[in-house]
Amino acid sequence: MAILHSVNVGLDRDAPYANLGHSGMDKRPVAGRVAVRTLGLEGDQVGDTKHHGGVDQAVYVFAREDLDWWAAELGQEIRDGMFAENLTTRGLDVNGAEVGERWRIGTAEFEVASVRIPCNDFKGWMGVGGYDNRAWVKRFGAVGRPGPYLRVLVEGEVGAGDEIAVVHRPGHGVTVSTMYRALTTRTDLLPELLRVEGLVAEARETAEKYVAARG
């Protein structure tokens, strides 16, 4: 059974490692039920609102299994929330989820909307945590398991231990990993993204430009 392993929130704090000098990347697990709103979790803040947050990046998800894989790679334990994820899952391949897939967690409902593209702030944050962050953006990206951003379709409450139910799967086969590769190292996959109904505007524009340039 797929479950919500941890709910993590963080405030926008001073952060010398971040490009803007402040960041909300330091997410920490919280106990009890947490309200889910259209723009994210109650008690959570986004530092770089130009590149993060908003309806299409309301909630960021990472699998506990992927954190454990990175822990083995880095030779150090990785706590829930360390990758700045709001929801840490267990028992669900979040990167194999299709874009547009819908999940019910607690009393809230979510839709897989976009993918995380690693940035230098992430590299800086890992360094502050004492991890080997050499070429971190490249290393993280090469694995191709970035974790999805979710839209909030139905507001509600979530808490650790809640079951994650997949209530809709579009069937087009365009997964989180496919979308990530298309937007980074495999631009030949960009036309595949146009099969996604409700694709985020920036990705659609990128895909349409690619197709138009090739006649």
Side-chain angles (χ1 to χ4, degrees), residues 43-185:
D44 189 59
Q45 294 179 341
V46 175
D48 184 357
T49 55
K50 180 179 180 180
H51 299 102
H52 302 285
V55 172
D56 293 329
Q57 296 185 13
V59 176
Y60 178 51
V61 180
F62 211 80
R64 184 62 247 180
E65 292 86 347
D66 288 327
L67 290 177
D68 291 341
W69 186 89
W70 277 110
E73 283 290 301
L74 296 172
Q76 291 177 250
E77 290 298 315
I78 298 177
R79 63 169 175 78
D80 300 327
M82 182 65 203
F83 278 15
E85 78 274 14
N86 298 115
L87 306 181
T88 311
T89 64
R90 187 179 291 277
L92 179 67
D93 181 5
V94 299
N95 295 287
E98 290 185 353
V99 182
E101 189 170 301
R102 297 174 187 172
W103 304 341
R104 184 178 297 118
I105 311 174
T107 58
E109 189 169 318
F110 305 86
E111 182 176 69
V112 176
S114 191
V115 297
R116 181 200 201 147
I117 306 295
C119 62
N120 281 326
D121 282 5
F122 189 14
K123 175 183 178 180
W125 169 241
M126 292 297 289
V128 168
Y131 296 91
D132 176 8
N133 68 346
R134 290 172 294 179
W136 178 250
V137 171
K138 181 178 180 180
R139 289 160 60 199
F140 181 85
V143 175
R145 298 183 63 80
Y149 282 113
L150 307 181
R151 297 184 182 108
V152 176
L153 300 182
V154 178
E155 295 185 341
E157 290 184 341
V158 297
D162 284 349
E163 180 180 358
I164 304 173
V166 178
V167 296
H168 171 71
R169 191 169 175 89
H172 48 58
V174 181
T175 68
V176 169
S177 289
T178 303
M179 185 176 184
Y180 176 79
R181 292 196 301 270
L183 293 173
T184 55
T185 60

Side-chain angles (χ1 to χ4, degrees), residues 26-43:
D26 187 3
K27 312 293 187 191
R28 301 281 175 161
V30 292
R33 312 295 295 171
V34 178
V36 179
R37 305 302 182 208
T38 301
L39 292 178
L41 303 184
E42 189 172 276

